[in-house]
Amino acid sequence: MPINDYLNSFLINNPKPDLTAGQLLMFGFDGTKFNSDIRFLIQKLKIGGVILFKRNIESPGQVKDLCMAMQEAALSAELPPLFIAVDQEGGAVARLRKPSFDEYPGASGIKSLKEAEEISNEMSKVLNNLGFNMNMAPVLDIAFDPSTSIMKDRAYSDSPEGAAEFGRTVVKTFQKNGIMAVGKHFPGIGRTVLDSHLTLPLLDTEKEILIKNDLVPFKAAIDENVSGIMLSHILYKNIDSEWPASLSVKIAGDLLRCEMGYKGLALTDDLDMKAINHDIKTCISRIIMANIDMTLICSRNSNQENALDEILRLCRDNSNASGNAFKSAERILIAKEKFI
């Protein structure tokens, strides 16, 4: 079904949470071929996107066949096309690896805007040919202290202006080639030294300092109409002392949406990471309250089904949650109409 028809039928004329709730979910899975698990996620849970990892990738032909099969499954279920995403920053964080794929330097190894543009141009064409339409890049974090920052090998610069220039260039290049760029990790994790895959980092920098420095690259990406922004699993003590950014109304709703005026897609980082120590019901409630559009659960587990159940429950029982979910689904479908 064409996206305009889907939007009109299921969102504007006759909103049906059971048909739209899954669009707010992006899931990972196991396997390198289309299988019953993937079919279940797409046709039963009606998810809006998938994300591939090293465990899903063997060769160009295999990836292309997998992506095509997933899109065909969505089409046969009369769903909009899927976001098919990957983390392909280059350097340490890249899912496409030798010998089957060309490899590219990470952000810290790119020394000029011209080089950043050339690499992003090549990379986006490869992704497009394989069937991807979204890349979880660029990194917009700033490695303020390259000797200690958790992002020292993944950040373009140790200055706000440098990170902004590189980020804006990468966003523009990816998106002109039909790949949605997702800037990360809002509102910036370059000051942290702990890994949110393993624990919940705490940052006590004042909000005013973040605005003048850490948020500069994100503002540049927003000005470049970046398709998505990923929220970090970091606790920013002086903005929200209770909830990490990925679950924070004050950060995702107030700071990103209201103060910075961002109207594109907001995504969580992977909820399977150890920084998140809340149950999935709490997470989904917080995510919808914060006007975050897409929940990422990157391992195949029961939280995937439970996430959908909780979205449906909230849409049924809470009019505010239902309204937020509707707006998220609308943003998602508008992005799909533009890029897929």
Side-chain angles (χ1 to χ4, degrees):
M1 178 181 293
I3 292 180
N4 269 333
D5 292 347
Y6 188 91
L7 187 64
N8 291 332
S9 175
F10 295 144
L11 290 182
I12 296 174
N13 295 332
N14 187 25
K16 295 181 180 179
D18 59 319
L19 295 171
T20 59
Q23 290 295 301
L24 280 60
L25 300 169
M26 177 177 285
F27 289 161
F29 56 90
D30 295 325
T32 57
K33 296 180 180 180
F34 189 83
N35 56 41
S36 58
D37 259 1
I38 306 173
R39 185 182 301 280
F40 174 79
L41 295 176
I42 296 171
Q43 298 191 338
K44 297 299 182 182
L45 302 190
K46 305 183 189 302
I47 61 174
V50 294
I51 182 166
L52 273 61
F53 290 88
K54 182 180 179 181
R55 66 181 183 268
N56 308 119
I57 294 170
E58 290 179 342
S59 68
Q62 169 266 324
V63 173
K64 194 168 187 175
D65 287 346
L66 176 59
C67 292
M68 186 178 300
M70 292 189 294
Q71 293 291 22
E72 288 174 350
L75 180 64
S76 69
E78 296 190 327
L79 296 172
L82 297 163
F83 292 137
I84 302 183
V86 67
D87 283 297
Q88 189 66 11
E89 299 172 18
V93 180
R95 312 309 181 196
L96 308 179
R97 294 286 188 183
K98 291 181 178 179
S100 297
F101 302 92
D102 291 334
E103 294 191 28
Y104 302 93
S108 63
I110 298 174
K111 303 305 180 185
S112 71
L113 294 178
K114 182 180 179 181
E115 185 182 8
E117 182 178 5
E118 289 173 349
I119 290 173
S120 299
N121 196 49
E122 291 177 21
M123 195 183 294
S124 58
K125 289 179 179 179
V126 169
L127 294 177
N128 227 326
N129 185 56
L130 292 172
F132 293 103
N133 49 48
M134 179 181 284
N135 190 11
M136 301 303 188
V139 166
L140 298 175
D141 306 306
I142 305 163
F144 291 99
D145 184 347
S147 66
T148 61
S149 172
I150 191 68
M151 301 303 290
K152 61 184 178 182
D153 296 323
R154 297 170 62 191
Y156 284 103
S157 179
D158 59 3
S159 77
E161 295 76 19
E165 288 181 352
F166 276 99
R168 190 165 192 159
T169 297
V170 174
V171 168
K172 182 177 181 178
T173 306
F174 273 126
Q175 295 191 168
K176 78 175 183 180
N177 285 303
I179 298 294
M180 287 172 276
V182 178
K184 58 189 186 185
H185 306 79
F186 189 86
I189 64 175
R191 297 179 188 272
T192 62
V193 297
L194 299 177
D195 188 347
S196 55
H197 288 84
L198 307 174
T199 188
L200 175 62
L202 185 150
L203 191 66
D204 62 0
T205 306
E206 294 293 336
K207 180 180 177 181
E208 290 73 17
I209 294 175
L210 294 175
I211 290 172
K212 291 180 180 179
N213 296 277
D214 306 56
L215 295 185
V216 171
F218 291 98
K219 179 62 168 62
I222 291 170
D223 289 344
E224 197 59 53
N225 297 314
V226 66
S227 292
I229 289 181
M230 179 180 287
L231 281 295
S232 74
H233 293 330
I234 310 294
L235 190 71
Y236 298 83
K237 181 180 177 181
N238 292 311
I239 304 178
D240 189 335
S241 61
E242 184 177 1
W243 299 100
S246 52
L247 304 178
S248 172
V249 174
K250 293 178 181 178
I251 293 174
D254 298 343
L255 179 57
L256 179 61
R257 293 287 190 201
C258 297
E259 293 183 40
M260 297 187 72
Y262 181 59
K263 300 184 186 304
L265 300 177
L267 302 84
T268 71
D269 208 337
D270 181 11
L271 293 190
D272 285 329
M273 291 163 63
K274 294 188 184 301
I276 299 298
N277 54 14
H278 301 282
D279 64 85
I280 193 63
K281 289 184 177 182
T282 300
C283 290
I284 292 298
S285 176
R286 296 294 309 178
I287 287 164
I288 290 181
M289 286 172 60
N291 278 302
I292 298 171
D293 302 310
M294 298 208 78
T295 296
L296 269 67
I297 302 177
C298 296
S299 299
R300 181 70 186 99
N301 60 65
S302 60
N303 275 341
Q304 293 178 330
E305 289 94 320
N306 294 338
L308 177 63
D309 289 343
E310 185 60 14
I311 294 173
L312 290 170
R313 187 194 69 78
L314 287 169
C315 288
R316 183 181 65 245
D317 298 345
N318 185 308
S319 60
N320 288 334
S322 180
N324 285 358
F326 174 90
K327 291 175 184 176
S328 287
E330 187 173 27
R331 282 190 288 265
I332 289 163
L333 293 177
I334 289 171
K336 289 184 175 185
E337 183 178 30
K338 182 177 180 180
F339 279 94
I340 305 177

